Amino acid sequence: MPDEKSVKPMTGRERVLAALKREPVDRTPVCNPTSVATVELMDLVDAPFPDANRKPEVMARLAATGYTELGFDTIMPVFSIIQESSALGCKIQWEQKDNWPTVKMREPIYETADDIVIPADLLTHQDTSCVLKAIEILKKEYGDEVAIIGKTMGPWSLAYHCLGVEPFLLMSLDDPDHTKRILDKLKKVTIDFGVAQIEAGADGLTLPDHATGDLVSGEYYERYLQEMHTEFCDQIPIPLLLHICGRTVDRMDYIAQTGMAAFHYDSKNQPGESMDIVQNRISLVGNINNPETLFSKGPEAVRQEVYKNLDAGIHLIGPECAIPLQTSLENLKEIPKAVRDWHAENLSEN
Amino acid sequence: MGSTLDLGSRIELVPIDSHFHEITVALYEDEGPDGPEFRVHSYSGKTGTDGRIEFIREAMTILGGMERVGDGQTLRFPCGAQHLRACKRVFLEACKLTSGDGPPQPRPLAVFDKKADRDISAIPEGGGSYRVSADGSDDNTLRRLSVVCGGLVKLGDMSLVSEEERKIAFECGFDHHALTGLLLVRAPNVRAVIREEEETTSRGSLVAPSAQE
């Protein structure tokens, strides 16, 4: 870990951007590449789901609480994973305040690569333009203080949404060439939406691509996605934070070679083993457990996981994935508090 | 800089109050000078929220036999014990009531059990003990009495003093008639209560597309 005593005090934005480049920081940043929205925060700023996923002012208002109330160094307004899929024409179950919108994947919109036509209104559709406008609002209001992180979904996730999980996975087994054609067509969505968010003012982008540890092997990642993810780093000129859920140590070496700025990693991977694999070729963000720790336990358990990550030298600390909407504020506020305390303790020891 | 409050540990949450503008209402626990104190809170700024919170608070005093502490914003059990599980149940039941119907009535220490086809009572025996009883002793009734005993133990964190006598007790050693009456309504079908709790808590967790049903 760099000696933070020699680093002048930084804003949250400076801290995050430095950590994404593995440069010295005054303290480890607290970063949420995915949502930290909760139902209580929705009440606090009168920004409930589903409006907070569809109206830019409401989206920005809820997202800002990650900084103003929780004390994170980032603001990430794209709570859901369905904005682009909605713009592509997928049917969406918008749900209520207490639940996430989902794509109705049992009603796929494509069957083959030939069906894929990226609509002309991809970036002006309500659910994509909402994100762009929210980023503009946040950049204007908080852009000097914290890093504004956007989100653009990867082609593997989009394929699940547009073709259905089972048909797409079966296709990946039976017809690799066709699978690659589909991914190749869908990557335009990832790039176009990503670039539009840069233009709107994003400082970095989360790129979730759900080649998750439970269904997709490391070998699959290497075969289908590594090259494409490398290409994204050229095509989307901004720090990218790849997000893949689950146990992913079998692909972290491949991921570390893509040029992504960071990998947002899951609590199914130990901080120490993950750091050993990536070898400072990519920053790691995470990996405070959601269901067992943030949702079900108390601040002391949260603190222990934060310390475990910091002890291992993890570059940015945050929840492993979008937190459950019922997570307590007490636990979320403990993350930045624990990071500050860890640094104070380690400075005083040195 | 923030406007969230340090209210102690949040121990229960109603994400959507269907009786008042879908606000979120939470129950917090903090340590008071004489033991645990509980606070009903909502971060909603909607007009009338304070009134709704006061209604829930008042309903908890009636339904759970809780008492107000200090400025009346927090509640405790008269015995000073935590009774965590029971307290959460009192809060959840209070949130199910509509403010417009006025303050609720305390529940009696007897409930009609459809499966036994008869009334089942919790008879106070002093010192926090209750004997679960019915006006009949056929096999089905005895089985139902055991079920109700088990339900009260689960919902109220009570202990089973005597299985044979169907005697249960609060470990604090104090009587809690209102609370026992409230729990008695749910005790015959405790599985449904647990299922409802699990369904509520499982909502709001984002799962990867590959894990969605």
Side-chain angles (χ1 to χ4, degrees):
Chain A
M1 190 187 73
D3 178 9
E4 66 257 29
K5 277 187 286 191
S6 60
V7 181
K8 66 174 177 53
M10 299 171 124
T11 65
R13 181 174 184 272
E14 290 168 339
R15 194 174 292 128
V16 169
L17 294 178
L20 289 172
K21 288 187 269 187
R22 294 166 298 289
E23 291 176 353
V25 286
D26 61 344
R27 69 157 168 80
T28 309
V30 182
C31 172
N32 60 303
T34 47
S35 168
V36 286
T38 74
V39 285
E40 286 185 289
L41 291 173
M42 291 179 203
D43 269 8
L44 184 75
V45 294
D46 192 20
F49 280 10
D51 280 359
N53 293 304
R54 309 205 75 189
K55 296 179 180 172
E57 295 80 10
V58 186
M59 178 180 270
R61 207 158 63 227
L62 180 58
T65 59
Y67 167 54
T68 59
E69 300 298 329
L70 305 180
F72 281 44
D73 293 303
T74 47
I75 294 179
M76 212 299 295
V78 200
F79 311 111
S80 82
I81 56 171
I82 55 87
Q83 310 289 145
E84 304 92 313
S85 298
S86 176
L88 287 171
C90 292
K91 288 183 185 166
I92 307 294
Q93 178 85 30
W94 284 103
E95 292 286 353
Q96 290 176 282
K97 173 187 180 183
D98 65 339
N99 213 355
W100 297 91
T102 52
V103 172
K104 294 181 179 176
M105 289 184 289
R106 290 189 186 280
E107 299 175 49
I109 56 170
Y110 307 139
E111 280 184 21
T112 70
D114 294 336
D115 297 335
I116 300 173
V117 178
I118 309 301
D121 70 344
L122 176 73
L123 302 177
T124 53
H125 184 279
Q126 177 185 355
D127 297 321
T128 45
S129 67
C130 169
V131 169
L132 302 177
K133 286 176 192 158
I135 288 173
E136 281 174 18
I137 294 168
L138 290 165
K139 185 69 183 173
K140 197 169 164 188
E141 200 158 344
Y142 302 102
D144 295 335
E145 300 160 56
V146 290
I148 310 295
I149 306 292
K151 186 197 282 179
T152 185
M153 300 299 292
W156 195 273
S157 296
L158 293 172
Y160 278 163
H161 282 167
C162 296
L163 287 91
V165 173
E166 197 177 325
F168 181 67
L169 280 176
L170 288 174
M171 185 188 293
S172 72
L173 286 169
D174 298 339
D175 194 345
D177 287 341
H178 194 182
T179 305
K180 283 181 181 172
R181 277 180 59 216
I182 285 171
L183 294 172
D184 205 52
K185 278 195 147 181
L186 287 172
K187 77 181 181 191
K188 180 174 164 50
V189 178
T190 308
I191 294 168
D192 287 358
F193 194 38
V195 169
Q197 289 178 66
I198 298 172
E199 288 163 4
D203 293 307
L205 292 174
T206 303
L207 199 154
D209 217 1
H210 290 91
T212 50
D214 55 344
L215 286 181
V216 178
S217 67
E219 183 266 328
Y220 248 50
Y221 177 82
E222 192 263 339
R223 189 198 309 173
Y224 285 117
L225 291 172
Q226 186 186 9
E227 194 181 319
M228 197 167 283
H229 286 174
T230 305
E231 187 186 337
F232 286 148
C233 298
D234 294 330
Q235 299 285 326
I236 311 171
I238 196 169
L240 296 178
L241 296 80
L242 180 66
H243 169 89
I244 301 177
C245 306
R247 175 93 178 145
T248 48
V249 287
D250 63 352
R251 69 210 67 182
M252 279 190 197
D253 182 49
Y254 300 129
I255 291 168
Q257 297 171 45
T258 57
M260 294 268 176
F263 180 50
H264 186 207
Y265 81 123
D266 191 299
S267 62
K268 289 192 177 74
N269 312 282
Q270 290 302 313
E273 66 174 347
S274 305
M275 285 295 282
D276 286 345
I277 294 170
V278 302
Q279 292 289 339
N280 221 34
R281 291 172 293 173
I282 188 170
S283 297
L284 289 177
V285 193
N287 70 350
I288 315 304
N289 175 281
N290 279 344
E292 286 166 23
T293 305
L294 280 169
F295 182 58
S296 305
K297 293 182 181 170
E300 187 50 41
V302 174
R303 174 168 291 255
Q304 281 174 19
E305 286 196 27
V306 170
Y307 274 39
K308 193 174 174 184
N309 273 278
L310 291 167
D311 289 341
I314 296 299
H315 309 84
L316 303 98
I317 306 296
E320 61 179 341
C321 190
I323 60 156
L325 297 172
Q326 297 185 27
T327 304
S328 75
L329 300 175
E330 182 190 18
N331 279 355
L332 292 169
K333 290 197 282 189
E334 186 68 15
I335 300 174
K337 211 185 290 180
V339 168
R340 285 191 179 87
D341 289 348
W342 184 90
H343 278 275
E345 289 165 21
N346 281 271
L347 269 180
S348 62
E349 277 174 19
N350 293 336
Chain B
M1 143 172 101
S3 46
T4 55
L5 304 167
D6 183 9
L7 300 169
S9 301
R10 201 189 71 196
I11 58 169
E12 192 53 271
L13 184 79
V14 172
I16 293 183
D17 180 351
S18 54
H19 299 297
F20 189 79
H21 300 294
E22 302 195 338
I23 65 168
T24 298
V25 187
L27 182 65
Y28 287 84
E29 179 188 354
D30 209 351
E31 196 57 31
D34 299 315
E37 295 178 4
F38 303 93
R39 181 183 294 272
V40 182
H41 182 77
S42 173
Y43 280 107
S44 172
K46 288 198 188 304
T47 306
T49 298
D50 288 348
R52 175 63 180 164
I53 297 302
E54 173 54 24
F55 172 83
I56 294 169
R57 204 182 288 133
E58 181 62 15
M60 288 179 74
T61 66
I62 296 167
L63 296 175
M66 300 180 81
E67 60 185 24
R68 292 175 187 263
V69 185
D71 61 1
Q73 302 286 303
T74 52
L75 304 170
R76 68 192 288 273
F77 286 107
C79 63
Q82 185 188 32
H83 295 309
L84 180 63
R85 180 104 208 212
C87 185
K88 289 157 81 165
R89 176 62 23 206
V90 174
F91 169 70
L92 292 172
E93 296 296 336
C95 288
K96 286 180 181 172
L97 302 172
T98 308
S99 310
D101 292 346
Q105 292 297 309
R107 307 288 188 245
L109 284 168
V111 67
F112 180 74
D113 180 53
K114 278 186 200 164
K115 289 182 181 168
D117 195 25
R118 61 181 76 241
D119 284 334
I120 289 180
S121 306
I123 300 166
E125 299 210 317
S129 295
Y130 295 82
R131 187 165 49 81
V132 179
S133 161
D135 54 349
S137 56
D138 57 279
D139 285 352
N140 182 44
T141 300
L142 294 178
R143 201 164 40 245
R144 291 302 298 161
L145 289 176
S146 293
V147 168
V148 171
C149 266
L152 286 170
V153 166
K154 270 191 187 151
L155 294 174
D157 280 336
M158 298 171 85
S159 53
L160 184 62
V161 177
S162 165
E163 195 166 352
E164 198 178 340
E165 294 177 54
R166 293 177 184 82
K167 197 170 163 184
I168 51 175
F170 290 103
E171 287 185 355
C172 63
F174 285 77
D175 289 339
H176 290 286
H177 296 342
L179 178 60
T180 306
L182 178 77
L183 299 177
L184 192 59
V185 177
R186 301 289 175 196
N189 199 1
V190 73
R191 278 189 201 162
V193 174
I194 291 169
R195 197 163 48 240
E196 182 190 64
E197 286 175 5
E198 286 171 352
E199 280 168 9
T200 304
T201 51
S202 68
R203 275 178 77 80
S205 289
L206 183 65
V207 291
S210 52
Q212 285 172 23
E213 290 177 4

